[in-house]
Amino acid sequence: MRWTPQRRSVVAALSGASGHVTAAELVERCRDQDPTTTPSTVYRTLDVLEELGLVRHGHGADGREEFHVQPAVEHGHLYCSACGGRWEIAEGQAQAVVAAFASVDGFEVDLSHMTVVGVCGACARAGGR
Amino acid sequence: MRWTPQRRSVVAALSGASGHVTAAELVERCRDQDPTTTPSTVYRTLDVLEELGLVRHGHGADGREEFHVQPAVEHGHLYCSACGGRWEIAEGQAQAVVAAFASVDGFEVDLSHMTVVGVCGACARAGGR
DNA sequence: GGCCTTATTGCGCATAGTTGCAATAAGCGC
DNA sequence: GCGCTTATTGCAACTATGCGCAATAAGGCC
Ligand SMILES: [Mn+2]
Ligand SMILES: [Mn+2]
Ligand SMILES: [Zn+2]
Ligand SMILES: [Zn+2]
């Protein structure tokens, strides 16, 4: 495994990003530093970083991959299709969900890769429907 | 709303497809019938069909959209990242999950849009790890 | 410091999906 | 059946992402 300048660049861009970033955004961030950045290299670097466990990815409400540096607690994401809001899935719910799937056939849910879309409480009450 | 030959084509391709199909697959199926099929038209048609409630889409383990003709029971999908297996989420788990989210802030989960990835019981037991 | 192996890069090309816009044609009224 | 309005289509250009392959350069060895 080689520590190349382009990998350094991606790691820097990642740590400089709070929360979640899509690969395309990362390409941009890297380009801000080094305009010669190549997309394929960034995509491939993200793959290795994930194999190394340094980052994890989930999917936005639209299915697009979103990366985030490995956080303290593994967590999934919740998206409101009405207001566009997004939240991390709380420990409590996460446990309930994991348990629900584990109970049936021993299915082990990959929490950090879990994306749940729906309508948040606020929108549900407001929008009626 | 106009009933055009290209929309008829997409609907035909959809009904001829059992289970789930990705938009790209649908484009292929349409082309088998009518080689002049244009991708953008298929994609746009899928959008209107979904607005009409004739189809719904979820996302595969990789985030790609997958369509299926509106089934009797709304359901999400479960994917095993180890063996590639896929299942519909059973009523029981679905209820547990919906309840888990509803309980906290009244979040209303869109079940048919729910994708859960992880390791199935069989793979978990087999692969250890 | 130079050499050598081979992991990585950059590139060109490919696929999936989106969007603006001008040309086309449903379907309604007569 | 004939126009007319305007929903749809086809196309071209574009974004996001992936892949094969030859050229390049990390980093271990002496
Ligand atoms: Mn979706
Ligand atoms: Mn994924
Ligand atoms: Zn909301
Ligand atoms: Zn499995």
Side-chain angles (χ1 to χ4, degrees), chain A residues 8-21 26 29-30 33 69:
Chain A
R8 242 174 255 125
S9 170
V10 174
V11 171
L14 268 170
S15 48
S18 63
H20 317 69
V21 251
L26 241 353
R29 285 167 183 274
C30 285
Q33 295 314 121
V69 295

Side-chain angles (χ1 to χ4, degrees), chain B:
Chain B
M1 181 121 306
R2 296 172 185 178
W3 189 234
T4 69
Q6 19 298 73
R7 289 188 174 172
R8 241 174 257 125
S9 169
V10 174
V11 171
L14 269 170
S15 49
S18 63
H20 315 70
V21 249
T22 162
E25 285 166 359
L26 240 353
V27 170
E28 275 320 301
R29 285 166 183 273
C30 285
R31 275 191 164 142
D32 289 342
Q33 295 313 122
D34 172 8
T36 74
T37 302
T38 295
S40 49
T41 296
V42 175
Y43 285 102
R44 283 187 289 224
T45 296
L46 283 170
D47 287 343
V48 312
L49 292 182
E50 186 151 27
E51 273 167 31
L52 291 177
L54 295 178
V55 297
R56 299 240 45 188
H57 83 264
H59 294 263
D62 59 357
R64 184 149 296 168
E65 284 185 332
E66 292 185 346
F67 294 83
H68 53 50
V69 294
Q70 188 68 306
V73 283
E74 190 180 24
H75 60 263
H77 296 86
L78 213 51
Y79 297 80
C80 172
S81 53
C83 67
R86 43 183 302 164
W87 305 268
E88 296 191 349
I89 293 176
E91 270 296 302
Q93 281 122 99
Q95 285 321 308
V97 173
V98 169
F101 288 106
S103 72
V104 173
D105 190 35
F107 190 96
E108 298 175 354
V109 174
D110 176 357
L111 247 192
S112 74
H113 194 278
M114 185 160 81
T115 297
V116 176
V117 181
V119 181
C120 74
C123 288
R125 281 187 289 280
R129 204 341 0 193

